[in-house]
Amino acid sequence: MKKIAFLLTILSLTFATSCKKDKMQTEDIKPPIADVVPKEMETHGDTRIDNYYWMRLSDEQKNSKTSDEHTQKVLDYLNAENDYFDKKMGHTEKFTDDLFQEMKSRIKEDDESVPYKDNGYFYITRYIKDGQYPIYARKKATLDAEEELLFDVNKLAEGHEYYSLGGLNVSPNNKLAAFAVDTISRRQYVLQFKNLETGEIYPEKIESTSGSSVWANDNKTVFYTKKNPTTLRAERIFKHVLGTDASTDIEIFFEADDTYSTYVFKSKSNQFIAIGSSSTLTTEYQVLSADKPNDKFKMVQPRVKGLEYHISHYQNYFYIYTNKDKASNFKLMKTPIEKTSSDNWVDVIPHRDDVLLEDISIFKDYLVLEERSNGLNKIRIKRWDGTADEYLPFNEETYSVNVSSNPEFDTDTLRYSYNSFTTPASVIDYNMKDKTKEIKKEQEVLGGKFDKNNYTSKRVWVTARDGKKVAVSMVYRKDTELNKDTPLLLYAYGSYGATIPDGFSTTRLSLLDRGFVFALAHIRGSQYLGRQWYEDGKLFNKMNTFTDFIDCSKYLIEENYTSADHLYAMGGSAGGLLMGGIINMNPELYNGIVAAVPFVDVVTTMLDETIPLTTFEYDEWGNPNEKEYYNYMLSYSPYDNVEKKEYPNMLITTGLHDSQVQYYEPAKWLAKLRANKTDDNLLVMHTDMESGHGGASGRFNALKDTARDYGFILEMEGINE
């Protein structure tokens, strides 16, 4: 026994020496130092100095096969940062790969969606073992029919580093399909057409589209949206006739206001094609009979600043959910299809101060409402004849539920999806007539280790500094002790009214099973507590988003769920802005931060109208060409508020082809942080040189990104197995 103990001691000392040596070696690795090239930018008499503006490249420079000196300098810098990341995190490579394999092992690789019926066909999406991409298929009339292959995206993606197929749209006669392809990750899709009877893909290709399209009922006319090649704003609606040259396509509508985008869709009744125009605060629709694609579109209700409305067709009426008459949480109205201006609208479901109306679905005999109250989703079902009005019951304290695709109009079946922090996603068919339900599928978690009874979730309410109550949803293993040594990852988004659901995640199990608590802060800027919750987190109220998150962080520390030594924060895109804000304001609260594709150079970006999304988002952030907005943005913009002080350990991620948040924002931010931080904490960035805002394409490549992010957090916590 003494000999064994001695050998174990020697092994322990050897391992410790090896780890110490590895750590010393990584400490000797020096980060790239970005050149300082001061650029003065004056606005409203205020001068800002941007030392790293030179990192900006145009799309043409990024995509050129021959690089000029400046382009090569930028690419060399990004590659040097990637190399630094690889070297600093190299000792975690095996563990990160183990995490990836662990996450992958929970996924049913040869999986298949629950078929849904549309226009006489059952449509199916399935995956095969080792397949990165989906296979789309259908069966005619019955599930026992022979399967027809529509698209095998695995084959289509061969030879591409990035591949996204979207906008799959079958013609009314079921013989043709429109589809769209993006191989750059800029969300600029090439629209194409396929004959589903012969398998032929037609030669016409329509460039720079949004990806979506709509068939008229003649099975040959297609309406689609074109994007501006520079700003990527969806700004024009075109009409294409199958078999003709795309250069002869007729422009139907141009959205001249650069704070709006436009789109086209078909009513569930298949009787109308609609063109929508929307900004953050205002919408407008025009409609056309789907049987008469050569007629002119008719205006429903001209845009009025601040009026939002959304239309659905049923019988002789358009049903409209809207904020008309100061209905901040929205209400449901209707108007005759021949008298569509707002003075003809009448209430169907009145406004309620405590209930947010989020969406509606129309069936022959039923109206289905998606509502939110006290932060929780509700599904309400009303019969048109007034004989029934019910809410579906859900019993968990935190959960997420939403109405799924229900293309069939004449049916008693409502399909919806349900999941929670502890319950895997389920697809459920509810019979609205006899009130029975059938679970069509529950997400399988493979590996033999998952038991939902081993986990618990709850919701706590944090009092923010101004007295508002902010909900924080949490999940952890029941055997995890909650104290100052407990590692906790706090996530949030907090913009655009987007509410992050309390949903299940197989990848998150890799944290929970290692003793982590995962928490989701429902901060202002979302619509968790209704529309006012969003209004209180935008424009001149944006600071509430940051302080809510900070107050939630302080609460979790004060209530002994964790401590600053073990608290981590994560957010992406506008959530990356959140990460940048909190570390400028209270960096001492966090041991580590993961900021994914972060929007951090707010002022410069919002002053540049050539950048995608800028003008479209004035209603969210404000227009800095107006001095009061400029000053307010400047007060929280992460890049502009970097200071000489200590910052937490940080991982920043971006994609070279990101169309939503340009890669140079996080790259500049990293360089400025590195030049100013006074600590020895780890600061690394990873740039995916092939992808954009959504990260890598393919379900397994996306898992690698998650494993990388989680590997960083676990490394900061000292967990390596």
Side-chain angles (χ1 to χ4, degrees):
M1 291 294 292
K2 288 183 179 180
K3 184 177 181 181
I4 293 174
F6 174 75
L7 289 172
L8 288 173
T9 301
I10 293 298
L11 287 170
S12 176
L13 289 171
T14 302
F15 178 74
T17 302
S18 175
C19 290
K20 186 175 182 181
K21 183 178 179 181
D22 287 344
K23 186 174 182 181
M24 289 175 62
Q25 288 175 340
T26 60
E27 287 176 349
D28 290 338
I29 300 168
K30 302 301 180 185
I33 302 299
D35 286 350
V36 172
V37 183
K39 177 181 176 63
E40 289 191 5
M41 296 178 291
E42 184 176 338
T43 310
H44 306 301
D46 177 61
T47 300
R48 293 178 298 131
I49 305 296
D50 188 346
N51 289 330
Y52 307 105
Y53 190 90
W54 62 267
M55 293 185 184
R56 177 173 174 169
L57 296 176
S58 68
D59 287 345
E60 291 74 17
Q61 288 173 308
K62 285 184 293 182
N63 297 323
S64 175
K65 293 181 180 179
T66 57
S67 298
D68 58 32
E69 184 177 351
H70 174 232
T71 301
Q72 195 58 52
K73 177 182 178 180
V74 174
L75 295 178
D76 286 347
Y77 174 71
L78 296 176
N79 284 317
E81 286 291 356
N82 280 349
D83 184 57
Y84 178 67
F85 172 87
D86 290 340
K87 289 177 179 176
K88 292 294 287 187
M89 300 299 293
H91 62 288
T92 69
E93 184 177 352
K94 182 182 182 304
F95 178 50
T96 301
D97 184 64
D98 289 344
L99 283 174
F100 164 70
Q101 297 297 339
E102 177 180 293
M103 293 173 184
K104 185 180 177 183
S105 72
R106 299 191 189 106
I107 296 175
K108 190 173 188 295
E109 291 195 47
D110 52 343
D111 203 5
E112 186 174 292
S113 69
V114 179
Y116 69 89
K117 193 175 184 182
D118 185 15
N119 196 23
Y121 281 81
F122 285 95
Y123 287 86
I124 303 159
T125 303
R126 71 171 187 270
Y127 288 88
I128 58 175
K129 185 174 175 58
D130 296 324
Q132 289 266 24
Y133 298 94
I135 295 171
Y136 297 104
R138 67 178 183 177
K139 296 182 178 183
K140 186 175 182 179
T142 171
L143 290 172
D144 295 326
E146 183 179 354
E147 182 176 277
E148 300 176 31
L149 176 66
L150 303 179
F151 295 93
D152 183 344
V153 185
N154 295 292
K155 292 183 179 179
L156 294 173
E158 289 178 0
H160 296 282
E161 291 289 338
Y162 179 93
Y163 194 91
S164 173
L165 185 144
L168 180 55
N169 180 22
V170 177
S171 62
N173 64 5
N174 292 311
K175 295 181 179 181
L176 305 161
F179 67 101
V181 174
D182 174 14
T183 58
I184 301 296
S185 191
R186 288 282 288 175
R187 302 187 185 184
Q188 289 177 289
Y189 287 86
V190 177
L191 183 63
Q192 296 179 256
F193 304 93
K194 181 177 182 179
N195 186 313
L196 299 180
E197 294 183 319
T198 66
E200 178 189 4
I201 294 179
Y202 293 152
E204 60 239 64
K205 293 184 177 182
I206 305 174
E207 306 280 347
S208 299
T209 78
S210 66
S212 62
S213 61
V214 172
W215 290 93
N217 290 342
D218 64 0
N219 298 293
K220 65 179 183 180
T221 305
V222 178
F223 294 88
Y224 63 91
T225 309
K226 272 257 190 184
K227 288 188 168 185
N228 182 291
T230 301
T231 67
L232 303 188
R233 182 173 70 94
E235 63 181 12
R236 300 175 190 269
I237 305 296
F238 281 84
K239 180 171 65 176
H240 175 74
V241 177
L242 207 63
T244 64
D245 193 306
S247 65
T248 66
D249 288 357
I250 299 171
E251 182 179 306
I252 301 299
F253 175 69
F254 170 58
E255 178 50 73
D257 190 330
D258 62 6
T259 67
Y260 285 71
S261 65
T262 187
Y263 46 93
V264 62
F265 63 96
K266 199 173 190 179
S267 66
K268 185 176 178 179
S269 67
N270 292 317
Q271 292 185 36
F272 290 96
I273 293 171
I275 293 175
S277 291
S278 67
S279 67
T280 304
L281 298 175
T282 310
T283 48
E284 174 186 86
Y285 292 97
Q286 308 169 57
V287 293
L288 170 77
S289 170
D291 294 325
K292 301 176 180 179
N294 295 321
D295 282 1
K296 290 186 177 181
F297 279 81
K298 173 190 172 185
M299 183 65 67
V300 175
Q301 162 60 42
R303 66 191 67 178
V304 176
K305 186 70 172 179
L307 175 64
E308 298 177 65
Y309 71 96
H310 310 272
I311 61 172
S312 299
H313 172 242
Y314 177 62
Q315 294 183 348
N316 297 319
Y317 293 91
F318 286 122
Y319 282 78
I320 303 166
Y321 78 94
T322 176
N323 66 349
K324 185 178 181 291
D325 306 321
K326 299 182 180 180
S328 60
N329 276 338
F330 291 78
K331 62 179 178 177
L332 184 63
M333 307 183 80
K334 71 176 183 179
T335 191
I337 59 175
E338 299 300 329
K339 297 179 179 180
T340 59
S341 61
S342 62
D343 54 350
N344 296 297
W345 300 0
V346 297
D347 282 4
V348 177
I349 304 290
H351 177 257
R352 293 153 292 173
D353 290 333
D354 59 346
V355 177
L356 174 68
L357 178 61
E358 293 190 316
D359 205 353
I360 67 169
S361 298
I362 288 178
F363 298 83
K364 179 183 177 183
D365 295 323
Y366 307 91
L367 169 65
V368 177
L369 308 167
E370 292 181 76
E371 302 176 348
R372 184 181 294 274
S373 61
N374 197 34
L376 300 178
N377 304 113
K378 305 289 177 64
I379 295 179
R380 181 182 179 185
I381 302 170
K382 289 174 60 70
R383 285 191 64 98
W384 289 114
D385 62 13
T387 59
D389 188 347
E390 65 169 332
Y391 284 90
L392 297 185
F394 306 109
N395 300 319
E396 292 187 83
E397 185 176 1
T398 65
Y399 62 86
S400 175
V401 64
N402 63 279
V403 173
S404 303
S405 175
N406 287 274
E408 290 288 280
F409 175 70
D410 188 4
T411 179
D412 292 323
T413 301
L414 170 70
R415 176 163 292 174
Y416 67 92
S417 61
Y418 177 90
N419 70 128
S420 73
F421 273 159
T422 57
T423 303
S426 298
V427 177
I428 301 168
D429 280 356
Y430 179 75
N431 189 299
M432 296 181 283
K433 185 175 183 179
D434 64 21
K435 304 186 188 311
T436 59
K437 72 176 183 179
E438 179 185 2
I439 299 176
K440 303 296 290 185
K441 180 178 181 178
E442 181 173 289
Q443 178 185 5
E444 294 184 57
V445 183
L446 303 185
K449 297 179 181 180
F450 174 73
D451 180 350
K452 64 182 179 182
N453 295 311
N454 291 335
Y455 304 85
T456 187
S457 64
K458 66 178 182 179
R459 187 169 58 158
V460 299
W461 294 88
V462 177
T463 302
R465 61 193 65 186
D466 63 354
K468 298 288 186 180
K469 298 288 187 180
V470 182
V472 178
S473 304
M474 289 187 282
V475 60
Y476 49 91
R477 284 186 63 99
K478 290 179 179 177
D479 56 5
T480 296
E481 294 185 18
L482 302 179
N483 55 49
K484 63 182 179 60
D485 296 320
T486 305
L488 188 150
L489 174 60
L490 183 61
Y491 185 91
Y493 186 71
S495 293
Y496 303 107
T499 302
I500 306 298
D502 292 347
F504 186 78
S505 166
T506 59
T507 57
R508 190 185 299 140
L509 296 174
S510 293
L511 291 180
L512 303 185
D513 290 346
R514 289 174 173 83
F516 265 77
V517 175
F518 176 82
L520 176 57
H522 299 289
I523 56 181
R524 278 172 279 190
S526 74
Q527 294 187 122
Y528 188 77
L529 293 178
R531 181 69 173 197
Q532 192 59 47
W533 203 244
Y534 169 43
E535 299 291 343
D536 289 346
K538 62 184 288 196
L539 298 176
F540 289 118
N541 294 319
K542 190 62 204 171
M543 196 64 75
N544 288 331
T545 300
F546 308 115
T547 57
D548 279 358
F549 192 92
I550 290 167
D551 291 345
C552 289
S553 301
K554 290 179 177 178
Y555 172 90
L556 293 169
I557 293 170
E558 290 165 0
E559 294 298 315
N560 224 30
Y561 286 100
T562 188
S563 63
D565 289 336
H566 301 282
L567 178 58
Y568 301 86
M570 177 185 283
S573 193
L577 162 67
L578 173 65
M579 296 299 101
I582 64 171
I583 63 166
N584 282 335
M585 296 169 70
N586 286 93
E588 76 283 356
L589 294 177
Y590 309 97
N591 188 43
I593 299 286
V594 176
V597 291
F599 172 43
V600 286
D601 192 11
V602 182
V603 178
T604 303
T605 291
M606 294 304 296
L607 281 169
D608 189 343
E609 296 181 3
T610 69
I611 294 177
L613 304 181
T614 292
T615 56
F616 182 64
E617 299 197 350
Y618 286 156
D619 288 334
E620 179 72 25
W621 311 105
N623 183 349
N625 292 297
E626 299 175 25
K627 191 174 189 302
E628 56 182 349
Y629 281 116
Y630 173 86
N631 290 337
Y632 189 75
M633 284 181 184
L634 197 59
S635 73
Y636 67 75
S637 174
Y639 184 64
D640 293 289
N641 287 281
V642 171
E643 298 175 330
K644 291 281 186 184
K645 62 183 178 184
E646 294 187 356
Y647 284 94
N649 298 290
M650 291 185 63
L651 166 62
I652 302 168
T653 65
T654 187
L656 180 63
H657 300 288
D658 195 331
S659 61
Q660 312 301 107
V661 178
Q662 308 293 309
Y663 74 91
Y664 47 79
E665 287 199 43
K668 294 195 310 176
W669 184 44
L670 171 91
K672 191 171 183 179
L673 281 167
R674 187 166 283 150
N676 283 275
K677 73 192 202 79
T678 58
D679 56 83
D680 294 323
N681 291 327
L682 185 60
L683 174 61
V684 289
M685 181 177 76
H686 184 272
T687 301
D688 189 326
M689 304 300 283
E690 303 294 339
S691 77
H693 199 62
S697 65
R699 54 179 178 158
F700 302 134
N701 289 338
L703 284 182
K704 290 179 180 179
D705 290 348
T706 303
R708 174 202 62 213
D709 297 347
Y710 283 6
F712 174 83
I713 294 171
L714 290 164
E715 167 71 5
M716 296 305 99
E717 189 59 25
I719 298 173
N720 54 24
E721 61 180 7

